[in-house]
Amino acid sequence: MIGKSVDVDIVDVAFGGETVGQFDGQQLFVRGAIIGERVRAEITNIRARGLLAITREVLKPAPTRIDHPWPLGSVYQTGAANYGHITLSGQREMKTRMLRRELREAGGEELLAQFSPPMLTVQAVDGNGWHYRTRIGVNKLPTGVGVNSGGTFVRVSELPLASKRLESLDLFGNAWDETLTTGEHLQLVAPNAGSPVIMSAGQAFFSPSERAPNTIWEIVNYRGRSYEYTLGTKGFWQVHENAPDALVAAVFDNLELDERTHFVDLYSGAGLFSLVAADLIGPRGSVRAYEGNSEAAEAASANFTAAPWASSHALTIDAHTLGSLVGSAQVVVADPPRAGLGSEAAKILALSPARQIALVSCDARSMARDVAALVRAGRRVTQFVALDIFPQTHFVETVCVVQ
């Protein structure tokens, strides 16, 4: 069937940004389409769960379809902006439908019933959905920089997803040709409390003639307070300019902390949530941050200098260690990588003494699996926030609080 063209009505949206139709008694997962459209699609792969295809012609367009503002980011080239052919409101409706589908598949209608419609409505964190990324990768070309499109690096003269603050690096001409090595992967970083830098072969640069320290500073604002973070230039940080503030609010607006709270932060990174928790709880409580990456854990320790009741520890977090880490914690925040907690670890966390658990997820499928495990183990969903911190893509960030 590979290479075959089929006309299909799009009726749903699946994980990974693919839309769903039916062909020859099988599910057809189509890239580049929108719910409600009829498209002519070319089958490109055969999977165990169905056929994969790509839109070749739109026969009946959805009202939310637009011309892609950055064709290089479309599903036909890099896929970096695979939802760019949809209005922002249409993108969020697609993501809302995708969240419902994943939750239903993970836990059935019984799990989905724990979520009110407003909970699953994806919320905007910016105005136009472009120029928001403070971290983005490119490759050095003989002149300028490029991105990977189907195995070939294509030179670019713009990066519409990148923060406008990165424009000061003067990437697209020949300014860096004598400083950086052709073929090298570069990481562009725009911290909100310092100048943008290019990371190349472990070294940071402010400009072709000026090296930068491998440390950056970020500021997060919550309830009128500003929190300062130091982390390595290569360290993980949320890529959307507004994401740290939005995530901190989504977590702490829905947790009950007091001055005696014992708080545990799993997969804590440089302490995004731990530092705020330490301030909200104060010295009569305690904050323990656990992180698998030793450099991130060291950064968190440095960020806790003014809060000795908070500590950071570098160790492996999994189903074997999680029970002892949460111990007698009253409130737990877990922000695992894309793979999520896993059902076994989620069950262990659910059976802990914690009165509240906040699960932060950037992957809808692993989130749904983990939330289903928490609920099966006896927890109840009390709040769920979906944030559109990856506009122009199918990704959505969620915060789920259970008791």
Side-chain angles (χ1 to χ4, degrees):
M1 287 189 181
I2 293 177
K4 182 179 179 63
S5 290
V6 299
D7 294 352
V8 59
D9 293 314
I10 304 300
V11 298
D12 205 351
V13 57
F15 176 75
E18 300 158 359
T19 56
V20 184
Q22 290 286 328
F23 172 70
D24 197 25
Q26 300 183 73
Q27 287 198 103
L28 186 68
F29 297 92
V30 184
R31 293 171 289 156
I34 306 172
I35 295 174
E37 291 189 327
R38 182 170 180 81
V39 302
R40 183 160 294 151
E42 178 187 342
I43 297 172
T44 57
N45 286 286
I46 300 175
R47 295 175 170 174
R49 64 189 181 104
L51 305 170
L52 180 64
I54 189 167
T55 300
R56 292 304 184 194
E57 183 181 353
V58 180
L59 304 175
K60 175 189 168 186
T64 54
R65 178 172 285 275
I66 58 174
D67 291 335
H68 202 300
W70 184 41
L72 186 60
S74 72
V75 295
Y76 305 102
Q77 298 192 57
T78 65
N82 65 334
Y83 268 16
H85 61 287
I86 314 172
T87 63
L88 278 178
S89 60
Q91 291 179 32
R92 290 166 190 149
E93 172 58 24
M94 293 267 283
K95 294 178 187 186
T96 296
R97 290 280 295 267
M98 183 263 292
L99 289 173
R100 293 182 62 85
R101 178 187 172 99
E102 291 303 317
L103 288 165
R104 184 185 294 110
E105 290 193 349
E109 293 295 335
E110 184 178 356
L111 175 63
L112 192 58
Q114 297 215 17
F115 298 82
S116 65
M119 286 183 182
L120 295 175
T121 300
V122 180
Q123 302 176 21
V125 297
D126 71 4
N128 67 14
W130 295 98
H131 295 294
Y132 65 84
R133 289 188 67 103
T134 62
R135 274 86 175 152
I136 198 163
V138 294
N139 269 56
K140 185 71 186 75
L141 301 183
T143 295
V145 297
V147 293
N148 192 339
S149 177
T152 300
F153 286 97
V154 178
R155 185 178 174 186
V156 294
S157 58
E158 61 174 351
L159 291 169
L161 290 177
S163 167
K164 282 187 173 295
R165 289 185 286 123
L166 288 168
E167 292 177 0
S168 65
L169 292 172
D170 191 17
L171 289 167
F172 306 122
N174 60 7
W176 293 86
D177 291 354
E178 295 183 6
T179 304
L180 304 177
T181 302
T182 297
E184 202 163 350
H185 184 73
L186 312 174
Q187 185 71 11
L188 317 179
V189 182
N192 65 10
S195 299
V197 299
I198 290 181
M199 281 294 299
S200 171
Q203 176 60 55
F205 295 86
F206 288 130
S207 71
S209 60
E210 184 181 4
R211 292 194 175 199
N214 287 340
T215 301
I216 55 175
W217 294 266
E218 300 280 359
I219 294 176
V220 174
N221 298 294
Y222 180 62
R223 293 183 183 175
R225 294 289 303 272
S226 292
Y227 299 90
E228 297 183 3
Y229 298 79
T230 302
L231 62 153
T233 312
K234 296 186 295 182
F236 173 80
W237 193 253
Q238 294 291 338
V239 299
H240 194 295
E241 292 180 321
N242 301 334
D245 288 9
L247 282 170
V248 163
V251 168
F252 290 106
D253 284 355
N254 295 296
L255 294 180
E256 299 172 3
L257 305 179
D258 58 43
E259 63 180 9
R260 295 184 182 275
T261 298
H262 176 34
F263 179 95
V264 167
D265 186 4
L266 300 173
Y267 307 95
S268 55
L272 173 62
F273 299 117
S274 311
L275 184 59
V276 178
D279 179 57
L280 296 176
I281 292 169
R284 300 181 69 180
S286 67
V287 174
R288 300 289 180 268
Y290 299 104
E291 165 59 42
N293 181 283
S294 59
E295 291 184 10
E298 290 174 8
S301 292
N303 292 327
F304 299 158
T305 300
W309 54 96
S311 61
S312 175
H313 310 270
L315 44 76
T316 300
I317 305 168
D318 56 25
H320 301 290
T321 62
L322 192 143
S324 62
L325 299 183
V326 296
S328 57
Q330 296 161 312
V331 176
V332 176
V333 171
D335 184 7
R338 196 172 300 280
L341 292 171
S343 296
E344 184 180 356
K347 179 181 178 180
I348 292 169
L349 182 56
L351 297 175
S352 75
R355 63 173 183 256
Q356 284 185 300
I357 299 166
L359 175 65
V360 182
S361 305
C362 63
D363 182 280
R365 178 157 293 173
S366 64
M367 175 278 296
R369 177 204 63 210
D370 292 347
V371 170
L374 290 168
V375 170
R376 281 196 300 268
R379 295 287 179 164
R380 176 176 60 89
V381 175
T382 59
Q383 188 54 269
F384 186 88
V385 180
L387 297 171
D388 194 19
I389 67 172
F390 306 101
Q392 315 306 336
T393 80
H394 66 276
F395 293 106
V396 59
E397 189 91 359
T398 61
V399 175
C400 184
V401 178
V402 301
Q403 290 185 344

